[in-house]
Amino acid sequence: MVSSAPGAALLLLINLAALGEAALPSRQIWFEDTYHNHLNASYDRLLELPSLGPEFYRLFRNISASDLHLLDGRLGQQDLVCLADITQFMRSLTSPKRWALAMLDSWGNKPSGYLSGNRVDMGNYDECLRVDGTISETHHIKGKYCFMDFPIAKWMGFDADNLSATNIRTAMCLPSSCSAETMEVFMKQLLQRLLGIGDLNNFFFINEQSCKTTESEPLDGLTIFTIVLLSIFCAVVTLCTLYDYFLCSDQDKLPRLVKVFSARATSRDLFTIVDAKSTPNVIQCLNGMRCMSLIWVILGHEYTINAMAAAINALDILRWMSKPFTSLILYAPFSVDTFFFLSGFLLVVIGLRALEKSKGRLNVPLMYVHRYLRLTPIVALAILVYMKMLPLLAAGPMYDNAGFFDYSVCKKTWYWTLLYVQNYATTDLCLGHTWYLAVDMQLYLLAPILLIVLYKWGKKGAAAILLVMLLLSACLFATIITNDYKILFKNGGQVPDVAKKIYSATHIHAAPWLVGTLFGYFMHLVRGKHFRLNRLAVWTGWLLCLAMMFTSLFAMFPYAKLRGPSPTVLEGAFYYTLTRIGWPLALCWVVFACVQGYGGLANSFLSSPLWQPLSRLSYSAYVWHIFIQEVNHRRVRSNTYFSDYDVMCSFWATFGFTLVMSYVMYIAVEGPLGGLEGLLLPSRRSPVKQVPSPAQAKTEEFPEEQKEPELPEFCQTEDAEANAPKAAEEKSL
């Protein structure tokens, strides 16, 4: 998730609520009442604001290039050009000319429904930027789109930086020769006339960073490199696919390198659906758990970015937070714990079996190299795409305000991401959602120690791991208590500094990972055995499982109301610590019941073969879904409406495009790189003497696939499904 699943969205809500909190000493008196009570004193000033575009024309329609006094002492060359262009603009409105009418028509107005949270009027972004008024053969007037901000909080006497979330913003369009400072000079004179206020220093401002024109800087070298790199991948894949399709009818004679880059061969492996009966010892339900968790992650992020958007009913989001359904979104980070559980579980189940076959031999360096080469090329490419391609695809009036992250920081912090230490090394995350990969990689560094402990000392080693898990949980508990951290968003919990210590730190997520390893050891011990459970035991198991899940999701619901009570620090610490253990314990029963034949409908759903293709795409979908969401929301031209139905519509659009992009990037980049890695690091005991397809060459990465390492190198793996049924004879748990 992004920091914490709904964290970024609710940081916005905290900023909204901050207006009320700044006015009153108690945090328990909430934004809605304060917002209305204090706004009444200044709302009459808002009502006095007419449509600024027509009023601008009425005030300056007789302007001329000689009216230097209007510049208020600004007599630079650029200011004089701006004055001349505004003069031409006014004359062209009087004539009238279409380009001038379009420039005036694109202005925004005072947003209606401010008391419901609507604070932005975007005008018409494209109409403004399309303005191209011909004055002479050598001079054209083009539109410049800017936002003018009215800091309502400062009108009330508040001066906190985070209160900028309450600013009213309206769009304006003036000649591109005018700087934001010069625009402020003209607007100051207009507002003084309309409102009769002498001092307007704290009444409005125009930020140059909010301004947009059609003029753009030429592509820099890194952008060109990114485009060329993607083009090379696509060209190679296209050529190899054409060779595969037209020149090689016998797939057994297809050259190894061509097969690695052939989209036809990659797609065949990707969309292969293997009958569960042909691989009876593979835990099919893990595919469904992995895919459902991925969908939960994307849904949580979709609610996050919709809550950050310019909604006409933003205050409804505060009321939405008090609904029972909201708990499924607010506590979506449990989907991340599911991935950590699966990671630890598969690591031990596969690793111990491999150690038994190799008699305890473990090639640790090759194991790390294999892991790094599987994850890093895709992340490195994602850094380039997010940083350089996003501005080209998502231009819009809200580009700087409607996204998750500022990817310009990648210029300074990209290497921390490639070293997988960004969750500790910096607060300016390059790709914010890759904090998960950092945590998972750091836990993976401990994998050899953990496997050797379990292999050599068995149950004693498992007891030691259990003790470590309890100590780490106690550390989390103590951190919350000693620092008086609040875990609920309405109390200010999960702000960046707090989230870094109690969410994105590696030891915080060690508990579900270690629960997965212990459960993996248990499944390794009982492999091949069938437990005969009576109906009472099965029902008891499922009831306890569901009880732990629903407790994790809804235990904090009594505190969800904004005006309601809040949990004490002790209660919050117990909840936050115990759910990190309770959730993966519930998953243990789900997996155990499905394996032992007590899964019923749950097993039928989670083990459906239809999950298999999505499961193989899950890592690519995790990396690229944020990009789709960024593009969708940064390019908006009008206000949104926040409701569960509207977010669901937005989610399915995002999910569909995510699958398309994930598939394209998989067959063009991820699959071929996986195949090349298989060529560079061949197995010494490969049962099939052929180049592994990209699907076969993929190793356990986020989210991990069920594969068994080939021996003696732990890091060499095969896809159990892709090699079925031949591999089914060798596989067991």
Side-chain angles (χ1 to χ4, degrees):
M1 306 297 289
V2 176
S3 187
S4 60
L10 296 179
L11 286 178
L12 173 64
L13 303 183
I14 292 170
N15 287 335
L16 290 172
L19 180 57
E21 296 186 54
L24 298 167
S26 173
R27 279 177 170 263
Q28 301 303 318
I29 302 177
W30 273 93
F31 170 65
E32 197 169 354
D33 287 341
T34 307
Y35 182 90
H36 290 294
N37 293 338
H38 286 267
L39 190 59
N40 287 337
S42 300
Y43 195 65
D44 57 343
R45 189 175 294 171
L46 288 175
L47 295 177
E48 295 175 12
L49 284 177
S51 297
L52 296 179
E55 293 298 327
F56 186 89
Y57 168 67
R58 293 189 184 99
L59 178 61
F60 296 108
R61 60 185 173 182
N62 295 320
I63 192 175
S64 68
S66 61
D67 291 329
L68 300 181
H69 65 281
L70 296 176
L71 293 175
D72 195 22
R74 298 179 60 89
L75 299 178
Q77 182 64 34
Q78 192 64 32
D79 300 307
L80 296 178
V81 174
C82 174
L83 177 61
D85 284 348
I86 290 181
T87 300
Q88 291 291 341
F89 174 33
M90 294 296 104
R91 291 176 180 175
S92 298
L93 282 174
T94 305
S95 300
K97 293 184 179 179
R98 190 181 187 285
W99 68 264
L101 293 173
M103 181 175 284
L104 188 67
D105 184 54
S106 64
W107 282 52
N109 296 312
K110 175 181 75 247
S112 58
Y114 183 64
L115 295 179
S116 295
N118 182 24
R119 62 183 191 88
V120 180
D121 191 314
M122 301 182 198
N124 195 309
Y125 174 81
D126 296 293
E127 185 179 33
C128 176
L129 296 190
R130 288 181 186 137
V131 168
D132 188 358
T134 301
I135 306 302
S136 66
E137 292 183 359
T138 59
H139 186 60
H140 292 254
I141 294 180
K142 296 188 176 182
K144 183 175 185 177
Y145 179 97
C146 297
F147 274 118
M148 181 164 56
D149 284 57
F150 297 92
I152 303 300
K154 290 186 178 181
W155 299 2
M156 305 176 192
F158 307 133
D159 199 28
D161 292 337
N162 60 355
L163 299 185
S164 61
T166 63
N167 289 1
I168 282 182
R169 312 190 78 192
T170 185
M172 57 186 301
C173 185
L174 284 177
S176 60
S177 59
C178 297
S179 65
E181 292 81 1
T182 308
M183 291 182 184
E184 284 186 349
V185 171
F186 286 105
M187 295 309 301
K188 180 178 180 180
Q189 299 172 55
L190 174 62
L191 293 174
Q192 283 176 336
R193 176 178 176 179
L194 294 177
L195 301 178
I197 300 175
D199 184 11
L200 292 174
N201 290 332
N202 293 324
F203 192 83
F204 82 101
F205 64 89
I206 301 172
N207 193 332
E208 187 69 45
Q209 293 181 350
S210 72
C211 297
K212 306 288 191 302
T213 65
T214 54
E215 298 177 0
S216 59
E217 297 181 359
L219 300 180
D220 59 18
L222 192 57
T223 303
I224 295 173
F225 172 78
T226 303
I227 295 174
V228 171
L229 181 63
L230 291 172
S231 300
I232 291 174
F233 273 111
C234 292
V236 173
V237 169
T238 300
L239 291 175
C240 290
T241 304
L242 292 175
Y243 180 90
D244 179 9
Y245 192 81
F246 291 105
L247 301 179
C248 190
S249 57
D250 188 355
Q251 292 295 299
D252 293 334
K253 297 181 180 179
L254 188 65
R256 295 182 173 185
L257 198 59
V258 173
K259 186 173 184 179
V260 166
F261 283 95
S262 172
R264 185 187 185 192
T266 304
S267 299
R268 185 186 298 112
D269 292 325
L270 177 64
F271 293 110
T272 297
I273 295 181
V274 181
D275 187 359
K277 295 180 180 179
S278 65
T279 55
N281 294 309
V282 174
I283 305 177
Q284 300 292 340
C285 68
L286 298 187
N287 288 328
M289 293 176 64
R290 182 183 300 117
C291 295
M292 291 299 295
S293 296
L294 175 67
I295 292 172
W296 198 4
V297 167
I298 299 176
L299 179 63
H301 288 166
E302 194 63 35
Y303 268 93
T304 297
I305 203 166
N306 272 273
M308 298 167 64
I312 63 175
N313 61 329
L315 287 186
D316 287 347
I317 302 175
L318 297 174
R319 288 183 278 271
W320 170 83
M321 291 171 61
S322 301
K323 297 180 180 179
F325 170 77
T326 307
S327 295
L328 298 176
I329 306 302
L330 296 181
Y331 301 104
F334 287 120
S335 61
V336 180
D337 287 343
T338 301
F339 285 126
F340 283 118
F341 165 79
L342 293 176
S343 178
F345 172 70
L346 290 172
L347 172 71
V348 172
V349 167
I350 296 171
L352 289 181
R353 183 61 175 165
L355 283 173
E356 286 186 349
K357 289 185 177 181
S358 64
K359 298 181 179 179
R361 289 178 296 171
L362 196 63
N363 192 329
V364 177
L366 193 57
M367 168 183 168
Y368 289 152
V369 170
H370 182 82
R371 177 76 166 192
Y372 190 81
L373 291 179
R374 279 293 180 261
L375 299 182
T376 307
I378 309 303
V379 175
L381 182 62
I383 292 175
L384 292 175
V385 172
Y386 277 82
M387 182 170 57
K388 293 300 180 180
M389 302 305 294
L390 185 61
L392 301 179
L393 300 175
M398 299 298 291
Y399 179 86
D400 297 320
N401 305 98
F404 281 118
F405 306 106
D406 177 12
Y407 297 103
S408 64
V409 302
C410 290
K411 296 178 182 178
K412 298 180 179 179
T413 63
W414 60 269
Y415 52 91
W416 295 125
T417 301
L418 298 185
L419 293 174
Y420 299 100
V421 294
Q422 66 268 35
N423 59 324
Y424 287 112
T426 179
T427 56
D428 295 326
L429 298 181
C430 176
L431 301 182
H433 63 301
T434 60
W435 71 268
Y436 168 85
L437 297 179
V439 174
D440 194 53
M441 179 66 79
Q442 292 161 26
L443 291 172
Y444 190 79
L445 294 177
L446 303 176
I449 299 175
L450 185 144
L451 289 173
I452 292 173
V453 166
L454 289 175
Y455 177 74
K456 289 189 175 182
W457 290 285
K459 295 180 180 179
K460 292 182 180 179
I465 294 173
L466 176 62
L467 179 61
V468 171
M469 182 190 70
L470 295 177
L471 290 175
L472 291 175
S473 298
C475 178
L476 172 60
F477 182 86
T479 300
I480 297 175
I481 292 293
T482 56
N483 292 281
D484 195 25
Y485 287 147
K486 307 296 191 300
I487 65 169
L488 293 187
F489 295 101
K490 75 173 185 177
N491 302 125
Q494 299 296 307
V495 294
D497 291 339
V498 176
K500 186 174 182 180
K501 294 182 179 179
I502 66 171
Y503 187 78
S504 59
T506 300
H507 67 278
I508 302 303
H509 296 281
W513 188 76
L514 291 175
V515 170
T517 61
L518 292 175
F519 180 63
Y521 176 67
F522 168 76
M523 294 298 289
H524 176 74
L525 292 179
V526 302
R527 63 188 186 278
K529 297 181 181 179
H530 180 71
F531 291 82
R532 296 183 179 274
L533 303 179
N534 57 40
R535 182 171 297 181
L536 178 61
V538 173
W539 276 99
T540 301
W542 277 110
L543 289 175
L544 290 176
C545 166
L546 294 175
M548 285 189 287
M549 286 186 169
F550 280 96
T551 299
S552 299
L553 291 172
F554 296 102
M556 291 291 109
F557 178 68
Y559 305 110
K561 293 184 178 180
L562 298 179
R563 298 189 184 91
S566 298
T568 64
V569 176
L570 182 62
E571 291 172 335
F574 271 118
Y575 168 79
Y576 204 78
T577 303
L578 294 179
T579 53
R580 289 294 176 276
I581 300 175
W583 182 266
L585 285 177
L587 297 179
C588 291
W589 170 259
V590 175
V591 176
F592 177 80
C594 291
V595 170
Q596 293 293 325
Y598 303 112
L601 291 176
N603 184 48
S604 299
F605 177 74
L606 296 175
S607 300
S608 172
L610 296 179
W611 294 119
Q612 294 175 21
L614 179 57
S615 181
R616 299 182 187 114
L617 276 178
S618 55
Y619 176 54
S620 184
Y622 176 77
V623 171
W624 300 112
H625 78 278
I626 292 289
F627 183 82
I628 297 297
Q629 291 174 329
E630 294 276 21
V631 171
N632 288 349
H633 290 272
R634 286 177 184 259
R635 62 177 301 279
V636 295
R637 264 62 169 175
S638 60
N639 298 73
T640 62
Y641 180 80
F642 185 89
S643 70
D644 288 319
Y645 181 79
D646 288 275
V647 176
M648 288 296 178
C649 291
S650 179
F651 161 75
W652 286 113
T654 294
F655 188 66
F657 279 108
T658 295
L659 292 183
V660 172
M661 183 174 184
S662 299
Y663 170 69
V664 172
M665 298 304 288
Y666 182 88
I667 63 173
V669 181
E670 184 182 356
L673 289 179
L676 288 177
E677 196 268 349
L679 288 174
L680 295 174
L681 297 176
S683 171
R684 282 186 272 172
R685 287 186 55 188
S686 177
V688 182
K689 294 182 179 181
Q690 61 181 18
V691 174
S693 66
Q696 293 170 326
K698 281 187 62 182
T699 189
E700 47 182 323
E701 57 199 15
F702 172 81
E704 304 186 15
E705 301 221 13
Q706 296 179 66
K707 309 171 190 74
E708 180 173 353
E710 294 189 14
L711 303 175
E713 301 99 338
F714 171 78
C715 64
Q716 296 300 315
T717 65
E718 288 187 315
D719 190 321
E721 295 171 352
N723 290 313
K726 182 179 293 185
E729 300 175 358
E730 300 177 0
K731 301 232 178 238
S732 67
L733 295 178

